[in-house]
Amino acid sequence: MERVLTYDLKDNFIDKLCSFITDNFPGKENDFSNIMCVFPGRRPALFLKRSLARKIKGSFFPPVILSIDDFIESIVSKTRVVNKISDLDACYLIYSIAAELDHSMLKGRESFSEFLPWAREIALFIEQLDLEDIENNSLREIQKSASIGYDVPENINILLQNIISIRRRYHDVLEKKSLLSRGLLYSHAANIVGDYEFDEFEKIIFCNLFYINSTQARIMKTVYRKGKGIFIFQGDKNKWPTLKRKEKELGISIPDIEPRGGSCDILLYAGYDLHTQVAIVSDIINKIDNVNDTVIVLPRKETLIPLLSEIAHTVKDFNISLGYPLKRTPVFTLFDTILNAQKSRRKESYYAFDYLKVLSHPLIKNLSIKIESSVTRVLVHKIEEILKGKIKTELGGSLFIRLKELEDLEDIFILGRDALRNMDIKIDIDSLKSIIRELHGVFFRSFEKIENFNSFCAGIKGASRLIIDKSLLNSFPLNRIAIESILSLADEMSSLSFSKEQFNPEDIYSIFVQKIEDKLISFSGSPLKGLQILGLLEIRSLNFKNVIFIDVNESILPKLKFYEPLIPREIMLSLGINRLEKEEEIQRYQFMRIIASSNKAFLVYEENKDKEKSRFLEELIWERQKSLKRIDAFNVIRGSFKLKIAPRDNKAVKTKEMARYLKARRYSPTMLNTYLRCPMQFYFHYVLGIKEGTNLLDDLGADEIGSFLHQLLEEAFKPFVNKKPSINKEFEEEFMRLFENKFSSEILKRMRSDAFILKEIIKTRLKKFLNEEKKRDVDKIVCLEEEFRDTLSFGGIDYNFISKVDRIDEISDSLVIIDYKSGSSDVVPKKIKNNNGISLNREYIKEQVKSFQLPVYYIISSRYFKNRDIEAQIYNLRTLERKSFSIDSDSSLDMYLGFIEYILKEIVNPDIPFLADREERKCSFCPFFYLCR
Ligand code: SF4
């Protein structure tokens, strides 16, 4: 029997191996358990078993199928228990050794968290030396050169001078503690493999191992020499230098292969960006009849989520097997936010912005701690409104807050309880307080006294458990997997050898975040069923009929690390370690192999001024051009898609309880306007009681500046109530003094360094306003910021109204009701002609009235000031323009009353749901935009 075989790149490796096994080892009753197959990874095991099952069509005992790593571990486990050192413990050991040998190596990176990236590089370097069987003698040259000085920072030179000692000490400590690094595991296996005969196996087949390091080569060579080993490669050794090298490393001759005819059908697609690429892939998948023998290969992990959101609704079964960066999940953002709140804390006071960021994280504000998640959400919104100063309390606008202050602030809980009542949720104040205390305890207090990794991990575990128990985590598999991964990281960290040693909390946070940077989470699925979504490593040895590759662009395929952060490239090369060349060839091999063995390959790449085609793709194009002797060897299909926004018909059902509440509550013109604009917005704001802020504390909104100006004008003009205002120099000076004081006490504390610009703008406008006021011949200011309460009765229901008028002036026996506006929306209703015969609806009223502000002021004030001429005005503080509104006949008055009646009846009608009235511009400014989707 041949013991060194080569398959063509176009062959289906698994099926061919299956035939090789059944032909050469017919074994009794289909028992292949005395054969071992060793693959580069674990994934091919399932595919080989499936191939055998299809061929045998009956029961069988499969071969023992291992990955090369598992095989090596099985050798070592014959002599000792395999205890592997964790990555962080290895780094800490290197850090301690470096500190002990020569402290100047740590210069500028004294703490463990600062040294960690270096420690990782050193551990990786030692691992490579061990894997490649590089003796300390070969390192002496490096040490010598380092003493003269490489072109690297001084402390790296010191480190290189000590590299042999570090490696020795590292090995000694591991040996003493009976621990193994990956490098030591391999070198240990290579040293002992000769002692074993592997009697339990008739043959050990090394399957499709492309790149092997020196210790692996030593092990495989030994097994081969014992007459046990069989090597099966794939590809022409004359085209792949790595295969050629293997002949020497393993002391074998790899046979030439007869190239097979036929080639796969390659189709090229170009997309403008990632989203176009995934849209193209979705289109390709829709055209494939059966996706069971199809793979999508993602060389870049970040493509996974955009891809899934595009295809998840069309593909029923799919299996994802590639690590997704934990760092890109909302769970990571949550913990990062928690740690940032701790970093900006001053003793017991939290920076309000960071505090709110924690509470507003979707995984926290949607926790169902009592009754349901809306309770937490409403409470968080109330806190947000209070801290932003939207609701007036002594904490409003504070930059730093103490948890206890919030827990003692009754307003939060009263406001929360009332808002929840409107939603039909009955909960008492004590229960609401306990929710906030629990959130503070788990997400803030448990991180306040961190001394070591153990106490830190306890905090992480507590927070994770609350999220697992009380959130809708299961509805979002990515978050569930991410939090499990955080928990396992916390477990790993709390069992570190130095987990009880005292550390600065900032160092612990930094190490935790650095650890997450490298962590990948994996999805579980059925690898043999449905569409397969795999990374470049996961396709090793597999074959699929249809192969779809995304991101076939340079710098992604191949993805190479050109920069060696610590060990200079010249050192690596002098030791015979060429990571770049090795990586490039491995990625090229995987790409070419899976394409060659498929029936159809769809290669999708990004085409724009910043991206180039992958060198591998250029190679394929060049090969095709040569064979066709044509430049246009491929017809590239360029993808584009039309964006059509199809909004969801969103609505909220109105319960009878809500209708009852709406009948009883007090209305204002602003409320009617909100309903007119969008009933859904009315629902969020006045039924659920949510005022969702789009920005946190650092962003002072236009409405807040508006209310500042209203208060200023009220205070300044108060002395003129029932008098003729006199805008003289003295008044102007007093007015500006008042402005300065108010601005400093109310605005300045909420703004950063750019507050002076805002101040100057407002000041200029106010000066212009005073000049304008001088020109108006006002006989008397009747009132300022006056509330008028009245009842409007329609269809037997009394609707309570309140309207707060900014100012009423008396001018030549007429009353002028003034509504100040500081923004650009100063809407005055149209002059409405007779609307007889028009059946009313909200849209029509919206079009005609635009705003109920002036009509309601007019109607209610004219009841107070009977038999007076009344005019309502919008006074724009920005442009100083005044727009008037008045009702000139009884029929106009009836018409406005009819509009108000129609809107009120619709609001209280339980059969009419709150509908979303979408308008792109309006919605983009809506504070409930994200709730409304
Ligand atoms: S996003 Fe648009 S539709 Fe939704 S509530 Fe806001 S304004 Fe209405």
Side-chain angles (χ1 to χ4, degrees), residues 650 677-682 684 915-919 922-924 926-930 932:
N650 216 354
R677 213 166 33 238
C678 174
M680 191 63 140
Q681 198 176 48
F682 177 93
F684 284 131
L915 293 174
D917 183 346
R918 291 188 191 278
E919 244 177 63
K922 178 186 69 188
C923 294
S924 63
C926 175
F928 310 111
F929 180 78
Y930 291 103
C932 183

Side-chain angles (χ1 to χ4, degrees), residues 139-248:
L139 294 174
R140 290 202 200 290
E141 223 22 65
I142 293 172
Q143 290 203 159
K144 254 194 248 157
S145 308
S147 57
I148 302 164
Y150 282 103
D151 189 14
V152 288
E154 185 47 28
N155 44 355
I156 298 188
N157 264 320
I158 300 173
L159 197 145
L160 294 172
Q161 284 172 45
N162 285 290
I163 194 70
I164 295 178
S165 311
I166 296 177
R167 187 186 186 195
R168 254 196 213 124
R169 189 82 64 94
Y170 179 62
H171 285 169
D172 286 350
V173 175
L174 290 186
E175 199 54 51
K176 226 180 264 165
K177 293 187 172 176
S178 299
L179 289 169
L180 288 164
S181 63
R182 183 165 176 262
L184 272 190
L185 184 79
Y186 270 64
S187 98
H188 197 61
N191 294 340
I192 61 168
V193 66
D195 302 339
Y196 298 98
E197 297 307 323
F198 298 99
D199 289 333
E200 62 275 42
F201 297 107
E202 186 181 338
K203 285 285 180 279
I204 296 175
I205 310 173
F206 294 100
C207 311
N208 195 221
L209 292 164
F210 182 65
Y211 177 83
I212 49 171
N213 55 48
S214 302
T215 41
Q216 284 170 343
R218 217 156 32 106
I219 294 163
M220 287 160 68
K221 200 165 151 183
T222 310
V223 176
Y224 181 76
R225 288 207 174 138
K226 286 176 186 287
K228 289 273 175 184
I230 295 178
F231 298 127
I232 306 183
F233 302 107
Q234 190 170 21
D236 184 348
K237 67 178 181 191
N238 300 311
K239 288 191 181 159
W240 298 99
T242 289
L243 289 180
K244 192 85 188 155
R245 247 188 340 262
K246 264 194 204 128
E247 290 192 312
K248 205 163 140 223

Side-chain angles (χ1 to χ4, degrees), residues 65-131:
I65 309 171
L66 297 182
S67 70
I68 182 77
D69 277 346
D70 292 340
F71 173 63
I72 305 274
E73 195 170 321
S74 74
I75 297 172
V76 178
S77 64
K78 288 177 193 294
T79 58
R80 59 186 283 179
V81 179
V82 176
N83 275 330
K84 290 190 230 164
I85 187 166
S86 79
D87 160 48
L88 267 184
D89 267 332
C91 292
Y92 191 67
L93 180 55
I94 299 270
Y95 169 71
S96 317
I97 294 171
E100 216 178 284
L101 282 176
D102 186 342
H103 207 274
S104 53
M105 272 187 268
L106 309 186
K107 198 169 160 215
R109 291 168 177 260
E110 271 81 7
S111 74
F112 176 46
S113 69
E114 289 166 329
F115 193 76
L116 182 58
W118 279 27
R120 213 170 253 142
E121 281 298 317
I122 298 168
L124 196 68
F125 180 54
I126 295 178
E127 178 176 303
Q128 286 195 320
L129 298 175
D130 293 341
L131 288 174

